[in-house]
Each structure stands twice: as C-alpha cells, then as structure tokens.
Amino acid sequence: MSVWAGPDVTDDAAQMLRPPFDGVSDVFDPSERVIRLEGAANEVLSFRLALIGPGVLDVGVEDLTSAGNRIGRDRISIYRMQAVTIDRWPAWRLRFVPPEQDVREVADVLVPRNAPRGGLPAGGAKDSPLVLWFDVDIPEDAVAGEYRSKVHISSDGRVAETVDVVLTVWPFGLPDDAGPLVIGDIEQRSLFAQHVRRGGVAYGPARIFADDPARADLEAVLADTVKLLGDHGVRVAMPRLYPVIKIDANRQVSVDWTDYDRVASLVLGVAGRSRAMGGFWSIPFDLSFPRQPSYPAELSPAYANVLRAYLAEAAAHFADRGWLERSVLREPFGDPLNPATSDQLRHFSYAIRKADSRLRVVSRLFPQDMTAQGWPAEGSQAPLESVDVWAPPAQFLDCAAVARDAGSAAWLTMDRPPFSGTTDLRAPLADVRVLAWQGYQAGAEAVYIGPVNNWPAVEAAKPQACAAYDPAVLLYPGSAFGLDRPVPSVRLKALRRGVQDAAYLALLASRGREHICTALGDSLAPLFAAQAAGVHYADGRAWAWVRQNEWWRVARRIMADELLATVDGDSTDASDLPETLRWRRFMGATRRAHFKVEGVRVQQAGTSPGEHARIVCTASCYNQSRTPVDGTLRFEKLPVGWVADSMVSRPLEVPPGYVGRVALRASSAALAWNEGGVINVPLLFRSGEGREWRSRARLCHLTAQSLAAPISIDGDLEDWPTGVGNFATGFRLITAGSGSNDDDTVAPAHRTLAFVGRYADRLYFGIRCETDPAASVDTVRGNVGGIQDLVPMGHELVELLIDPTNAGTRSPADLFRIAVGPGGAVWSKGVPLDPPVGPCTSWPAGIRHATRVYADHWSVELELPLDAFPPGSREHAVWGLNVTRFDLATQEYSNWAGATNNVYDPLSLGNMTIGLPTTGGV
C-alpha cells in the first residue's frame, strides 16, 4: 500500500486528488512516515491523506497526547474527498487565470467518514487513490507543547499501515470574534426540502410552526447547518424568514412573532466551536415583506404608514429581545442605474427613520459620484443621509468615499476577482482565503458572501447539480450521501483558513505589531474593491493578490513567529521589519515590480504602406515592491531599418504602490512583418542597481489590400485574392502570459484568420474561424452575446474594434465595435458595457455582412462604408484595429493584437493601413 500526505490545498488543482502531493515539505516526511502540524490554541489545522492499495480501506486515529495532556480523537474530523465537474468558465477567469490552470475536475465535496454512502470504509484500487481530508481542532484551552498520535490504515479489516502525527501547539491562542464578521445567508426552504420528508415527499416550508409534525426534524437540520457554518467562522442570516403579519381594513398592523422568535433564538443560540455564533441578525424586510400594493409604493402614503408601523413594531420587539443593537435592516434596492432607485431609497428611508431612529440601514448602493464614469446623473450617487452601512458589490466599494461620509461604516460584499475574493468553485482556492484578509484591510464590519446553499429545486440534489446551478455554494445536500444534514466543501475550509488568518492579524495588532499586519496585507493582497480598477472602474488589474498557496502558508508562519517573539519577551523595535530568511524570501516573492507593454501605435504620413512610419510603444510598471523602481527603458534591438528617436533610453521612476508609464519612439522608412502581421521588438529595462528586465513589444500591422473589384458579401471566402500583409493570424488568449507580453506560445485551440481589403470608399473584412468538427456551431438568430467583465460571453462570435484616429486613448467610448456571429450581428459607437463606462450610441453604419457554417469552420464577410465613420477619418492613413474571437466550444477569448485582460482599451489595438484619400479604387 502507498500512503501520501500533503497540505490542505495545492496550487495545482489537478493534484488535489492525485498523489504524490506537492506543497511544503514539512507537512509529511515519506521516509519517516510522519505528518507534522503546528498551530495555536483555538485553531483548526488540515491536511490530506491519500491511500493507494487493494481491498476495503478504512482509517482510525488515536488521541493526541503529550506529557500529562491530551487532545481527544473526537477533535479530529475525517472526510472523503470527491470531485465535481466544471463545464463553463466565468469571464473574470478567462481574463485573469492562465489557461494552464484550467481544471475541469475539482476536488470540493467533503463527505463525512460516517456517511452511509460515499464515506468509509471504501474500496481501494491500485490506480485510483482514496483521498481523505483531516481537520485537527485544537481546543482553546490546549496546553502548549508537542502532541503525538497515530493514523491506522486498514485493508479488509486488518491494519496495513500506520502513520505518525506530531502536533506542536504554540503558547498562544487565537481570539474569538477577531476581524470582520463573515455573513452568509441560509435559504431555509431549500435546506429543508433536501433533508426533510413528510408523507414520503420532500418538505420545504418557509416557516417552522409550533404544531408542525416535522418540527423536530426541521429544527435539527437548521441547528446542524448553523453549527457547521459557525464552526467555519460564518455567521448566519435568514433573510427569507418572516413573522406572521396581519393588516386590517384600516391599515392597522399586528405581528405575531411567536414562531419567528423560536427559530431566531435557535439560530442565535447555536454554539460554534467555542462560542455562541450570535452577534448579527437581519430584521425581516424586503420588497415582498410587508407586501406592497400593486401600484408604485413610493406614491402610496397608505403603504408608507403600513411600513412605518411594521418597522416600529419590529424595532421595539428586537429591542425587547436584546437583538436590536446587533441587527441591521437591509434596504432592498440595488440597481444604481435605475433612475427610481434613489427616490425609492429616500422614500423608504424616511419611513424607516420615522419608525425608529435606532434602525441601522445597510445599502447595496455607494456614496461616490459616478457621473464622470459615464453613468446617468439620476443613478450616480445614493442619498448619503439614508445609509448607515455601505455594502455595495466590492467593485464599487470606495473606502475613501465611505470615510468621507462621516459616521458611516462598510461591509465588503463579495463580488468577483479582482475586486474581491470569491467562493466560486471555478476560482483558485487562494481567492477564497483572501476574503477575510480584504475585509480586515478595508476595516469592514463584515464580509458578506451571499447565499451558502442556493441549490436547485430537485429532490436529493447531487453535488454536481448544485455546483452547476450555483458555483458559489459552500454546502452540498447531505441527502445524496444518506445524511440528514449538509456536508461542507473544500472552499468552506479555505474560507475558515482566511478567518483564522484574520484572527492572527488581530492578535498581532493587539500586541503592537500593526506594521507586520500592514506589510503582510500589502504583500499578499495589495489591491481589492475600487482600488483594483485599472484604466476605468470596470477594468480590473491583473496583479490584485497572490495566488500561490505557498506564500499564504509562509505568511501564517511569519505571523506565528512574531507572536512567539512577543511570548518570549522580544522587544524588537516595531519600526523595522525583521530581516529573517523567511521574511526575505516572502518579500522577494510577493513584492515585485510588474512590467507590461500596453500597446504599440503606428502613425504614417505617406501614401504607401510603411513609408515614414512612426512607432510609439507604451509600457507600464506597477511597482508592488518596497523600494522605488528607478531606471531606464529602451528598445534592446531595433529591427532593420528602424531608427530610435533622440532619447534612446527613457527614464522610468515609480514609487512603491504606484503605476508609471513611459513611451518609446522610433521611425522607419519600411516596416517588415511576419505572415500574421506581427513583429516582436525586444525591450530592456535596466535599473540603477544594474538589474535587468526583458520583454517584447508585440507590434501588429496589416494593410487593406487594393482590390480590383468589390467582394461579394456571401460568407464564402473563396473569392478573396491572395495578397501580402493583408491578413492577421497568430491570435493570443486574453490571459496569455498573465499580462506580461512575454509569451507568444499561448495560442487558442482553434485558429482564426482575418483578411482586409479596400475598394474605392469601402473596407472589406473576411474572417475564417476554425472549429471542432465534432461540435456544432450556434446559429440561432440574434445570438451574438452580451459583454460580461469585458468578455463577450455566451455565443460564438468575432469582433472588429476600430479607432480611425489611432490615437491610443484609454476610453472604450472611442471605439467602433462590430460583433458578428453565425446568429447575427450588432454594431455601435462605443462598447455596450453594463454598467456603462462612457457613452455607447447607435451607429447607422450601413454595414453589409454574411456568414456561412461549414463542417470544420465558420466564416464571415463584411462591407464597411468609409463614410460611416466621422468626417476626417480618412485623413488618417493608419487606423487602430483589433480582431477578437470568443470560441464557445472551448470557452476561449483571443485577439490578434495580443491585448491582455482588456481588449476594449484603444491603446492596445493593432494597426491597419487603409491609405490616404484617392479617387476610384485603391
């Protein structure tokens, strides 16, 4: 039998169920067969154990013992790991996670060992490892020292292997209630329906009434779920739990709180690992409760009186129960682009204030003015006087704006990378762990993660169905494994790890080590919320936080070392960071300068392609290091015929935490290209200390071929004449090289080829998109896809992005966009983003287009009148151009210009020479 152990998570998700595990070497010593763990009192440690061998396999553990002290085996939980399959990627993952990290089978389901189905014992196999997850829960009163235990591995009822476990408990404990609260919503109807049956059918009531025959079962599953979440640091809210309300003909309100109070008391009274998980509750109120009239509520004084009476009653009742000070009222309006939202919020807020001034209002809107970002004035800013706690999606959380609204507080509402971490199954596990860190760094009262059990409405829902329905679920129905309670996910464990990290940070701060907290946070997760925006608020930066799990583990050990130093009475000056080897490795790996070539523009003054070409290459440096970046950037080797401008090297000085940009310029009497319209020009940055960084500028160019006759627009590319320099290929994935411009090898699975020509006053484009012969192409009319996170998701399509000025501005409003798929076409001036980033208007371009679908490819032809572009456009001989493709079958987004993360940045376009004005054909 083969036995392997490893850390809780790995960087390579494919290795989670495939030994030998990667990870830190001090977790498991295969030669000595010892698992080594270190942690604080009141901390849970985790590791994985893989077994490969025949027979029926099972495991048992002994108590952890030291000289005179013991941690019982009941503090060790064992789960069998199972995988779920991913079939679609979200847009943010396509932009920020390199394709080599794509794993379709994700180890996420943790089945308790005692589950009737899917637990232990289990059949082993020589080629299929049995992988187990262990939680070791160190009591809050554990005595410091070294504890030992053994894991006994049996095959067919006989002990076949034994692995030693050595646990070192450090002489300090993690505090309770440290850092921001992590709040998750329970959908009780779904929870009950998956675990309770009545009369032989699934039973999912909205309320638990005292006389319900299934009351005991309902309360038991609710209590088990609250405890499971509480054990992982998640406070529970039940926004769909309501009391019984009656409104008579005279609009008098009476509320029966009896059943509500019993359930609320149960939830707030359930103990977590070492404490009651109370401290937060939500007053029942939303757009459906109290029920609104059919006409607009803001126009109804009668409804305002009902709402005011109900909320006054709720506030008085919560105060009487001792809950009011730890309760919030979530306002139900979250669409800032709806012109009625601000008026609705003012209307409801007036009723709330009149009901009881003690009610704390949590709003999903935000305090900053967004009119400068292209938002309509009616929806650009929420009324400040109406909100006590700002909780917008993290993308719109501007901590500085919240601070300016004196007296208000903030929640970090989970969004998606890079604006916040996420519990999404399709994200790396570091994206889950970072959530609590971000809440701590933001000074937020809470981190709100939304529903934890948003399951499909089917009986005994399997984990796969749940993951497909909502990839952010943190619990799976236990009914699939014969259990009457939910089972946890690996992501729930990663979230707990982050909560425990926040407890380390709080403990360090309480002992005068705030500078350590700042240094670690700025190293691991320097960007989040609104500060993660790049060119504009919708353009998140690529380097928001560290995703290598090794450095998160190193950070935890650094925090432990600092705390151990305080226990030992170390009086090191807090103004300096310790210069240990571990610190130096950590800082060297996480605090780096990130260079990126943002675009290469070509301007041309002559009438012939390549004549008097002026080249401008823009590069940037995001300096995450602790010291200023100071040096020079230059073209390392110019192509034949190129001449650099008078300043061969350009100075670049970037303070820590800032972004600096520099433009390199050259000229050429003739430009040469490879067959795909691309030339790579090497760049060199040399710092003042002599350190060097090398990259390549991807200069893309094609020429509109002079056509002897107009192209027949029928989708068939066979009539396109051969030419030189008039076609584009060599498309790159938008995540290629993670934004470094160094990697031209990350190509999409299917080849795309684009042609361009000109006849008289019209441009012609032909695009050929290779497909998998085994996969069908979506030809449903109208299917051209909407844009999500700067990726046109949902349908097979190609885009033409054109800037006649080729000025390299940063606004998508300056682009002309044409999107074409087998199902249709749309075009606009500007990019139709939602929410908007600048104006986007209709474009009466008079474009003709046609598509054809073949067995191994589909193709499109377009005819664009030059007169469709603004007057003066033809005065520019070179236009900005990019051709992009979303491949629905492979879930890949690629583009010819090699733009990374954001193709809708005009600076990142390629270049297209159309020639100067002529008469007749060109």
Side-chain angles (χ1 to χ4, degrees), residues 25 31 161 176-177 193 315 322 426 435 536 545 656 713 737 754 758 776 891:
S25 59
S31 61
E161 298 284 348
D176 291 334
D177 303 314
R426 299 163 295 183
L435 277 165
H536 47 72
W545 57 79
I713 304 300
R758 178 179 175 183
S776 61
Q891 293 285 289

Side-chain angles (χ1 to χ4, degrees), residues 590-607:
T590 61
R591 302 291 287 264
R592 297 181 297 164
H594 302 276
F595 290 85
K596 177 180 179 179
V597 177
E598 297 186 329
V600 184
R601 309 266 43 82
V602 175
Q603 287 102 30
Q604 189 168 307
T607 59

Side-chain angles (χ1 to χ4, degrees), residues 277 284 391 462 566 642 645 723:
M277 289 305 295
K462 300 294 191 293
T566 65
W642 283 38
D645 70 356

Side-chain angles (χ1 to χ4, degrees), residues 2 17-19 50-55 57 80 122-131:
S2 298
L17 294 176
R18 192 180 305 160
L51 314 176
I52 303 177
L57 305 181
R80 182 180 173 186
K126 292 182 179 180
D127 57 351
S128 179
L130 176 67
V131 183

